[in-house]
């Protein structure tokens, strides 16, 4: 009953967050990589060349995110979100009419407007508008991303058998553009007065509001870097190389893509549970553990012998993916306050976008160098052991400052 009341009272704002999260799909790797085979064939690109172009465009978008992400501290979500969605639609349209020379610029535009800004606006709005129910708000808004992840790859892989790949990007542009009037309707009344009131109460360590410069000088931020890089780098790499991975394993691509909705369903469950736990336990107790399932996930992917056995890898990956949709977004608000949340999270988002640039480029180069994707995935498992250890050290050292804040 209480949960229903929360949903009803906050439906427009939660729906706006979910809409932005869903539309970010068109700039996410799980969507762009659906067209990897067509793009490589169209332009005669090797795995390394395609991965390099993708990494270049994504790296540039990460650099711009440092500045652009801070705009969420200056503009309302309805204004900034609408502008970014228009740019996202134009980026999708550009992919439909791109040439090989324009491809890095198109990837840059898709990654900045989709993966970067659209998802950033959604997460910052939820973290700022909600305090006591921040975990639930973040998990509900992130359902939009999960819906896109489950629906769009399998839908567009199926449509590729009927339509030219460029026409499908025109369709993506139309869907993104259609989100603008819907967002404006949902945010006719934005939570501005209440958000200011809640911001004043939601302080970070030592009961104060941290600026971005202060956060960057604090050691916790740097202990978090490996964990910030890990999921975007290697989740992105996995989905980016999905066509190659299926070929190496001798599976039909559609058989692998058919597992994505199951993966998404599990990640949704994990996301809801993580949001519930977040509101009760806080991020300090949960953050050190949430990436440990990625160790098991990539070991499973390395040794999988069929799509059915790969499902175990998707199960473990989904546990971390679900937590990753809520915990890091709440972490910055809990430890550093919400007054400068957009700017601080923009730095974290830039690191994550940089990770999503490194993953495809690194795996593509290693494939071209003869290092098999299965061997690479065993190395990825080792990386997540290291990232979890670093995160645990940083959070354990810093969480005493939260007690001081209380």
């Amino acid at each position: 009953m209480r949960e229903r009341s929360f949903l009803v009272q906050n439906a427009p704002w939660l729906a706006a967050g979910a809409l932005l999260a869903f539309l970010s799909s068109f700039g996410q790797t799980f969507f762009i990589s659906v067209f990897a085979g067509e793009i490589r064939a169209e332009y005669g690109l090797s795995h390394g060349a395609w991965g390099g172009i993708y990494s270049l465009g994504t790296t540039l978008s990460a650099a711009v995110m440092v500045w652009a992400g801070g705009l969420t501290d200056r503009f309302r979500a309805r204004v900034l979100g609408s502008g970014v969605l228009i740019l996202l639609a134009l980026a999708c349209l550009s992919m439909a009419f791109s040439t090989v020379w324009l491809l890095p610029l198109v990837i840059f535009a898709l990654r900045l407007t989709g993966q970067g800004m659209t998802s950033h606006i959604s997460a910052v709005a939820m973290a700022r508008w909600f305090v006591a129910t921040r975990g639930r708000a973040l998990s509900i808004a992130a359902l939009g991303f999960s819906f896109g992840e489950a629906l769009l790859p399998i839908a567009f892989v199926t449509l590729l058998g009927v339509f030219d790949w460029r026409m499908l990007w025109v369709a993506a542009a139309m869907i993104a553009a259609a989100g603008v009037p819907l967002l404006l309707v949902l945010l006719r009344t934005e939570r501005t007065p209440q958000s200011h009131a809640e911001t004043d109460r939601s302080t970070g360590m030592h009961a104060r509001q941290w600026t971005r410069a202060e956060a960057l000088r604090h050691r916790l931020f740097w202990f978090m870097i490996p964990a910030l890089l890990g999921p975007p780098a290697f989740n992105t790499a996995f989905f980016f190389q999905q066509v190659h991975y299926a070929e190496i394993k001798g599976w039909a691509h559609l058989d692998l893509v058919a597992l994505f909705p199951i993966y998404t369903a599990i990640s949704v469950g994990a996301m809801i549970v993580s949001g519930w736990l977040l509101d009760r336990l806080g991020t300090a107790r949960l953050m050190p553990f949430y990436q440990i399932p990625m160790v098991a996930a990539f070991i499973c992917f390395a040794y999988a012998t069929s799509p059915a056995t790969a499902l175990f890898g998707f199960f473990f990956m989904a546990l971390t993916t679900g937590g990753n949709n809520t915990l890091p977004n709440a972490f910055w608000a809990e430890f550093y306050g919400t007054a400068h949340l957009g700017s601080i999270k923009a730095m974290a988002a830039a690191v994550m976008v940089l990770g999503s640039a490194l993953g495809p480029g690194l795996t593509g180069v290693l494939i071209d160098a003869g290092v098999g994707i299965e061997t690479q995935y065993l190395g990825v498992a080792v990386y997540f052991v290291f990232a979890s250890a670093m995160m645990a050290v940083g959070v354990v050292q810093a969480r005493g400052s939260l007690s001081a804040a209380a």
Side-chain angles (χ1 to χ4, degrees):
M1 191 70 175
R2 187 176 175 182
E3 188 70 25
R4 181 183 298 178
S5 175
F6 169 74
L7 292 174
V8 171
Q9 291 175 7
N10 298 284
W13 304 290
L14 294 171
L19 174 66
L20 288 167
F22 170 74
L23 293 175
S24 77
S25 299
F26 297 121
Q28 301 284 357
T29 300
F30 69 77
F31 182 79
I32 299 172
S33 62
V34 165
F35 304 91
E38 284 71 21
I39 292 172
R40 287 180 53 239
E42 179 86 9
Y43 302 122
L45 301 173
S46 68
H47 289 287
W50 168 228
I53 289 172
Y54 197 81
S55 294
L56 175 62
T58 304
T59 301
L60 291 174
S61 73
V64 175
M65 267 299 296
V66 175
W67 166 79
L71 294 175
T72 53
D73 291 333
R74 298 170 52 195
F75 296 97
R76 294 187 176 193
R78 73 189 305 267
V79 175
L80 187 59
S82 299
V84 168
L85 287 180
I86 292 171
L87 294 176
L88 176 59
L90 292 174
C92 292
L93 203 59
S94 298
M95 178 62 95
F97 299 101
S98 180
T99 66
V100 68
W101 302 109
L102 291 176
L103 197 54
L105 182 60
V106 173
I107 296 298
F108 160 78
L110 284 170
R111 301 295 274 160
L112 176 63
T113 58
Q115 184 210 25
M117 284 301 294
T118 308
S119 58
H120 178 69
I121 294 167
S122 173
V124 169
M126 295 303 102
R128 178 171 283 144
W129 289 342
F130 300 90
V131 177
T133 56
R134 183 178 289 141
R136 274 180 286 174
L138 285 165
S139 62
I140 291 168
L143 287 174
F145 176 85
S146 300
F147 182 70
E149 191 175 45
L151 173 68
L152 295 177
I154 194 166
F156 277 77
V157 167
T158 303
L159 291 171
L160 273 173
V162 182
F163 298 100
D164 179 73
W165 69 275
R166 293 180 183 272
M167 292 304 300
L168 295 182
W169 277 102
V170 174
M174 294 171 65
I175 295 171
V180 175
L182 183 54
L183 182 69
L184 292 174
V185 169
L186 290 171
L187 295 183
R188 276 179 311 204
T189 305
E190 198 162 354
R191 292 171 60 101
T192 306
Q194 186 171 352
S195 73
H196 283 307
E198 291 189 344
T199 296
D200 291 338
R201 293 198 305 268
S202 187
T203 57
M205 293 177 290
H206 303 294
R208 51 184 286 257
Q209 302 284 2
W210 293 65
T211 66
R212 179 159 74 180
E214 291 170 335
L216 289 174
R217 290 195 296 267
H218 192 261
R219 63 180 178 271
L220 175 60
F221 185 90
W222 299 101
F223 273 102
M224 292 295 296
I225 293 295
L228 290 174
L229 285 170
F234 298 115
N235 274 36
T236 298
F238 179 84
F239 287 105
F240 184 82
Q241 301 293 357
Q242 62 181 271
V243 175
H244 176 70
Y245 180 70
E247 290 174 352
I248 290 297
K249 292 294 188 179
W251 309 335
H253 183 205
L254 190 57
D255 289 343
L256 180 65
V257 172
L259 299 177
F260 292 1
I262 302 174
Y263 157 76
T264 300
I266 298 169
S267 68
V268 167
M271 180 174 62
I272 293 171
V273 171
S274 70
W276 181 82
L277 289 173
L278 191 160
D279 289 338
R280 284 154 180 78
L281 302 177
T283 59
R285 297 181 182 178
L286 300 175
M287 290 293 287
F289 305 104
Y290 89 99
Q291 290 190 9
I292 291 175
M294 293 294 276
V295 178
F298 278 91
I299 292 174
C300 289
F301 288 140
Y303 290 112
T305 57
S306 68
T309 54
L311 187 58
F312 289 101
F314 281 111
F315 171 79
F316 289 113
M317 181 187 278
L319 296 182
T320 294
T321 300
N324 204 54
N325 284 328
T326 56
L327 294 177
N329 293 320
F331 171 83
W332 304 111
E334 185 172 337
F335 277 79
Y336 293 108
T338 54
H340 307 284
L341 178 61
S343 296
I344 294 172
K345 190 182 174 300
M347 284 300 302
V351 173
M352 295 169 71
V353 173
L354 178 62
S356 68
L358 294 174
L362 177 63
T363 54
V365 168
L366 289 176
I367 289 170
D368 286 352
V371 180
I373 198 74
E374 294 157 318
T375 302
Q376 292 185 42
Y377 286 166
L378 293 176
V380 171
V382 174
Y383 176 88
F384 278 107
V385 173
F386 166 74
S388 295
M390 290 289 289
M391 183 163 47
V393 171
V395 171
V396 168
Q397 288 181 348
R399 66 185 178 189
S401 302
L402 291 177
S403 300

